[in-house]
C-alpha cells in the first residue's frame, strides 16, 4: 500500500511540473538562440607570411567578441578592435609549415540595444591551410 501511495505522489508531482518542459505558448519555456551558428570558411597558404583577416562587425555598448576555442595550429589568433570605427577584426596566421585544418570558435554579442540580458551568437571558423 505504501508503494502505491508513493507512486501516486511521484506521478502527480511529475504531471504538475509538465508545464516546465512544455514549449507551448503558456509562458513557460526555455528560449533557444534566435540566431543560428554563423559559419566561416577560410583558405590560407602555409607560408609564414599568410595572414587572414575577417571582419566580425561592430558590437554596441563597447562589447567585444571573445574566443571560446582559439585554434591549435596558429602563430597569430587574435581579435583586434579598430579604435575609430569599433569594428572587430579576427586575425589568423597559421604556424609556419603547418598544412591541414584548424578550427576557431568565437562568441559575439548580438544585443546592442542596451538590454540587461546579454545575448550572443557563435561564430565558427573552419580554416584550411594549404601549400
Amino acid at each position: 500500500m505504501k508503494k502505491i501511495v508513493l507512486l501516486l505522489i511521484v506521478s502527480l508531482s511529475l504531471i504538475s511540473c509538465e508545464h516546465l518542459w512544455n514549449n507551448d505558448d503558456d509562458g513557460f519555456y526555455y528560449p533557444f538562440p534566435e540566431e543560428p551558428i554563423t559559419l566561416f570558411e577560410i583558405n590560407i597558404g602555409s607560408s609564414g607570411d599568410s595572414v587572414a583577416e575577417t571582419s566580425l562587425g561592430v558590437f554596441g555598448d563597447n562589447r567585444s567578441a571573445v574566443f571560446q576555442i582559439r585554434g591549435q595550429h596558429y602563430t597569430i589568433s587574435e581579435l583586434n578592435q579598430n579604435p575609430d570605427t569599433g569594428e572587430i577584426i579576427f586575425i589568423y596566421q597559421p604556424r609556419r609549415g603547418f598544412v591541414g585544418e584548424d578550427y576557431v570558435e568565437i562568441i559575439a554579442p548580438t544585443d546592442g540595444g542596451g538590454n540587461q540580458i546579454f545575448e550572443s551568437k557563435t561564430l565558427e571558423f573552419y580554416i584550411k591551410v594549404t601549400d
Side-chain angles (χ1 to χ4, degrees):
M1 180 69 174
K2 289 181 183 181
K3 288 182 182 180
I4 293 174
V5 172
L6 180 61
L7 182 62
L8 185 60
I9 291 172
V10 169
S11 298
L12 290 174
S13 297
L14 288 175
I15 291 171
S16 68
C17 293
E18 180 270 337
H19 70 277
L20 293 175
W21 297 290
N22 187 1
N23 273 346
D24 292 338
D25 291 332
D26 59 1
F28 294 95
Y29 64 93
Y30 295 100
F32 295 101
E34 291 182 19
E35 295 192 36
I37 293 173
T38 304
L39 303 175
F40 294 89
E41 189 171 307
I42 297 174
N43 295 306
I44 190 169
S46 64
S47 71
D49 305 354
S50 301
V51 177
E53 294 186 8
T54 303
S55 173
L56 304 182
V58 178
F59 308 120
D61 298 334
N62 294 322
R63 292 183 180 162
S64 184
V66 294
F67 284 101
Q68 184 160 327
I69 300 172
R70 191 177 287 265
Q72 293 181 327
H73 309 287
Y74 65 89
T75 300
I76 299 171
S77 181
E78 61 188 29
L79 296 168
N80 290 333
Q81 186 170 20
N82 182 321
D84 298 327
T85 65
E87 178 183 32
I88 305 292
I89 307 289
F90 167 56
I91 301 171
Y92 180 89
Q93 181 180 23
R95 189 174 61 225
R96 184 177 293 277
F98 171 74
V99 175
E101 296 182 356
D102 207 350
Y103 176 77
V104 174
E105 201 168 280
I106 297 172
I107 304 298
T110 59
D111 182 17
N115 292 330
Q116 295 297 321
I117 299 174
F118 181 75
E119 297 175 8
S120 63
K121 65 180 174 181
T122 302
L123 307 174
E124 290 185 356
F125 291 84
Y126 293 93
I127 302 165
K128 295 181 182 178
V129 182
T130 58
D131 282 335

